[in-house]
Amino acid sequence: MNLISFKLRRIFILLTLLTLHGLNQVCQAQKLNTDSLELVIISAKADSTRIDAMMVLANYQIKHLQQDSLGLETLDKARELSTLKNYPEGLFQSLITIGNYYRSKALWAESMDAYYQAIDAADDIEDEALRYRGQMMANNNLGGIFNFNGDFTTAINHRLKALEITETHTPDNYINRGIILLNIASDYRQLKIPQKSISYLNQTSAFFDSLSAMLKLEFHIEYFQAYNGDRDSSSALKNLRLLSEGIENYDLSEFQKMDYRMVHEELMGSFNSDFKYNSLKARNYFQNALELAIDLENPNKQAEYLYRIGETYLDATEYRQAQSILHAARDSSVKYNLKSLQLKVSAGLARVYEGSRDFENAVFYLSENTRLRGEIYDEEKSKEINFLEARYQKARADQEIAELKLKNTARELEAEKRNRTMWIGGLSSLVLLTFFGFGYRSGRQKRMIAEKEKNIQSEKVILLEKQQQVVSLQAMINGQESERSRVAKELHDSMGGMFSTLKMYLSTMGSEVPVLNQDPLYLKSKELISSAAEEVRRIAHDMMPEVLLKMGLTEAVRQLLNNLNAAGSIRFSFQHFGMSGRYAPSFERMLYRIIQELVNNILKHAGATEVLVQFMEEGNTLQVTVEDNGRGFDALPGAAPTAGLDSVKHRVQYLNGFISIDSEKTIGTTVVMEFLLDRS
């Protein structure tokens, strides 16, 4: 249940945006005198004052003026000046702000890189309180990224680091401790371990009264969800009562009270609907929540509550009321592009029309549900791949750094050994005269060598850890492909089978009642079912083409291009030379995805009339060329990224391949890739 994720994120943001300097508090104002700040930046005698002013200005440019590029430029200047002037506090704060910005744009690689750099920068802060606070903030923010992307285990690891820092160095900061404990509890709940979630929530019992009013309410909400997941209805209801009492008794603004009342009514509605199966009581609570959402001018919540109200009518088989309300929910979800809600509403409408025996509309909304499911799956997997690629690039970079350090240490040790040998040989004739001095220096040299050998062993351990991270990420990416295969099989076997059965039933009806073959509604239903079945087949095929599994890469690409030739006005040609057999399954899947991405990019953006895809195997190398005669683009370094090409580059890099892109406007684009062969 994700009923309050939007509220928890508000609390996470409060911690994320903590700043190290009082001057940054100015940025909370609705208006800021930027001229005064720029004057401070120009004329300040102290470097720290100048950098602090730059930080405030950058925050204001990004958050209030929506001047992202200008704000990032100011942040970069603040970071460079902090490094130049040895001001680690400014360097840390600039990196945290950069990380927050990229996180808000879902640019995970850039955000994580900034946060990891911030942790390193915090190590150099002399003020212990600021240093520990900085390390805590960066780890907590990293936990937020992994939580958002569904990697709750890694999120917990970062949160636990933040908790250890807080409990060890700032144990009396109950607000920070409470927020981190709340985050960890939420992570465990989303891992479906409610007992562990409750145990972390209970750790606040000794200082719960010291928490802020809003944080106490968030704890009651998290307690409710954890107990609900543990099927402890009495404890869940107890926390809903505490939530209600807190809303009335705590010092809150009127807006905050309305906001939390809306959440309370929503949770009560869900409890009665999902736990007690009392549709009427649930409907009343959702109706109350809807009225509060209207007062709060929250359109997303209005659409959600309309759907939940429609659901209660559907559960009570009151189809006419359900139909009206679900259509209103559908209109809102389409207007505000709430695809996950559209998916649920379309399923509800299909059930409504099926119950009303309006099969034409039932099939229509079932087809819409299938389409939305495919779109959402593609979007979610695209986000997942982007996140995995970000983690993979981070792990590879760490591995390269570890390998470089290991090589440097080995070279230093070798040089040290050579120097020691030369020193011993050169002074062998003076052993008696320099016995004591030699003994001292030799012992010192041995200690130095032992220390360096110890460092090499440490570096080897780090290198092995980084290599294991890369292997783990490779396994995760392979697992994503396995999941695509599983879902494609389910779509093909389950949904496809259902549509085939439905088509058979309609054909049987047409044979037994011939007059139906003259009925436009009956004929339209058969047509829609055929279209829906074809759509399911297409989605399943796009996720994992059966021909790729059975006959290999060459035939899969040939079939892909043949289908495109049959469907459109672009002429696709396919050539292959020297292909001598199958490759490793993971290699074939990833290369097929690369071809798909390049072809889709051409279809969407190139305006081409002819496309050539060519495979050429020579020795242990496979060269792949994709060429079109479209409008082309600026492929020079530093040019704006072209849609889809970043994903292609990451996939090629994942396969340890080489990619070259040559494009000229009005002439076309040629993409050449080379891979070392990896046969199954």
Side-chain angles (χ1 to χ4, degrees), residues 352-602:
V352 166
Y353 285 112
E354 181 185 11
S356 304
R357 304 197 63 77
D358 182 347
F359 297 114
E360 179 179 10
N361 276 313
V363 170
F364 173 81
Y365 285 107
L366 184 61
S367 176
E368 180 176 272
N369 181 265
T370 302
R371 175 182 61 79
L372 287 166
R373 191 180 302 277
E375 289 179 5
I376 291 171
Y377 180 88
D378 286 344
E379 290 173 3
E380 288 179 349
K381 289 305 170 184
S382 176
K383 291 176 184 176
E384 181 181 339
I385 289 171
N386 289 339
F387 179 63
L388 289 176
E389 286 176 347
R391 293 191 63 187
Y392 178 70
Q393 295 304 321
K394 167 66 177 170
R396 285 193 63 170
D398 288 346
Q399 181 182 351
E400 289 172 3
I401 292 171
E403 288 174 345
L404 184 61
K405 287 182 178 178
L406 186 61
K407 289 178 182 177
N408 289 340
T409 306
R411 281 197 294 268
E412 290 176 8
L413 180 60
E414 186 63 31
E416 192 69 39
K417 286 181 177 179
R418 284 199 305 270
N419 291 340
R420 181 171 178 266
T421 302
M422 292 173 62
W423 184 80
I424 292 172
L427 296 181
S428 58
S429 60
L430 301 175
V431 168
L432 292 176
L433 295 175
T434 60
F435 176 79
F436 292 107
F438 174 77
Y440 169 77
R441 182 170 177 81
S442 178
R444 182 169 176 270
Q445 292 281 347
K446 287 179 179 178
R447 287 194 300 273
M448 290 176 64
I449 291 174
E451 183 65 27
K452 288 187 178 293
E453 288 177 340
K454 180 181 177 182
N455 289 339
I456 282 184
Q457 293 303 317
S458 298
E459 295 292 348
K460 284 182 178 178
V461 171
I462 294 172
L463 177 59
L464 288 173
E465 289 176 348
K466 298 305 179 184
Q467 289 173 336
Q468 183 58 40
Q469 289 181 22
V470 173
V471 170
S472 175
L473 287 170
Q474 288 172 336
M476 291 175 70
I477 293 176
N478 291 337
Q480 187 269 339
E481 285 293 333
S482 298
E483 177 67 7
R484 292 178 74 103
S485 180
R486 183 189 68 80
V487 174
K489 188 175 187 301
E490 287 185 2
L491 277 174
H492 183 274
D493 294 348
S494 178
M495 294 293 292
M498 289 173 61
F499 279 120
S500 296
T501 303
L502 190 53
K503 287 170 68 176
M504 181 184 68
Y505 285 163
L506 285 176
S507 296
T508 302
M509 288 172 60
S511 299
E512 293 178 354
V513 187
V515 70
L516 284 175
N517 292 306
Q518 307 301 319
D519 188 332
L521 178 58
Y522 172 80
L523 296 174
K524 184 64 174 176
S525 297
K526 287 185 67 176
E527 180 185 339
L528 286 171
I529 289 171
S530 295
S531 298
E534 181 64 24
E535 183 69 10
V536 168
R537 191 200 67 78
R538 184 194 64 78
I539 293 171
H541 185 274
D542 285 347
M543 286 183 176
M544 188 55 63
E546 190 174 356
V547 68
L548 178 63
L549 303 176
K550 292 183 176 179
M551 302 185 69
L553 178 66
T554 305
E555 287 304 314
V557 173
R558 187 198 309 278
Q559 188 176 105
L560 170 68
L561 300 181
N562 285 344
N563 290 340
L564 291 170
N565 275 328
S569 58
I570 303 178
R571 181 174 177 272
F572 287 87
S573 301
F574 181 46
Q575 300 173 354
H576 57 90
F577 307 98
M579 307 289 281
S580 56
R582 295 290 299 269
Y583 307 122
S586 60
F587 178 82
E588 290 193 339
R589 286 197 301 269
M590 189 63 75
L591 189 49
Y592 182 80
R593 299 288 176 219
I594 291 171
I595 300 299
Q596 268 188 321
E597 186 68 49
L598 288 170
V599 168
N600 287 336
N601 212 37
I602 291 169

Side-chain angles (χ1 to χ4, degrees), residues 263-403:
V263 174
H264 175 269
E265 297 301 294
E266 177 183 339
L267 295 177
M268 285 296 296
S270 296
F271 182 80
N272 279 279
S273 174
D274 304 336
F275 204 101
K276 294 297 186 181
Y277 307 109
N278 188 327
S279 297
L280 182 59
K281 284 186 97 173
R283 185 184 308 155
N284 291 334
Y285 282 116
F286 287 132
Q287 186 64 49
N288 294 339
L290 175 62
E291 292 170 3
L292 287 163
I294 293 171
D295 291 339
L296 289 167
E297 298 181 355
N298 187 331
N300 291 8
K301 281 297 177 182
Q302 291 174 40
E304 181 181 337
Y305 299 145
L306 282 170
Y307 163 69
R308 297 305 301 269
I309 293 168
E311 241 191 351
T312 64
Y313 279 114
L314 181 56
D315 290 340
T317 66
E318 299 178 48
Y319 297 124
R320 185 161 35 169
Q321 294 90 331
Q323 176 183 330
S324 173
I325 292 173
L326 287 175
H327 271 294
R330 180 176 181 271
D331 292 342
S332 293
S333 62
V334 171
K335 179 178 181 181
Y336 296 105
N337 195 31
L338 308 173
K339 277 196 176 178
S340 295
L341 185 58
Q342 284 178 250
L343 180 70
K344 293 188 285 188
V345 171
S346 61
L349 283 169
R351 287 174 57 202
V352 166
Y353 285 112
E354 181 185 11
S356 304
R357 304 197 63 77
D358 182 347
F359 297 114
E360 179 179 10
N361 276 313
V363 170
F364 173 81
Y365 285 107
L366 184 61
S367 176
E368 180 176 272
N369 181 265
T370 302
R371 175 182 61 79
L372 287 166
R373 191 180 302 277
E375 289 179 5
I376 291 171
Y377 180 88
D378 286 344
E379 290 173 3
E380 288 179 349
K381 289 305 170 184
S382 176
K383 291 176 184 176
E384 181 181 339
I385 289 171
N386 289 339
F387 179 63
L388 289 176
E389 286 176 347
R391 293 191 63 187
Y392 178 70
Q393 295 304 321
K394 167 66 177 170
R396 285 193 63 170
D398 288 346
Q399 181 182 351
E400 289 172 3
I401 292 171
E403 288 174 345

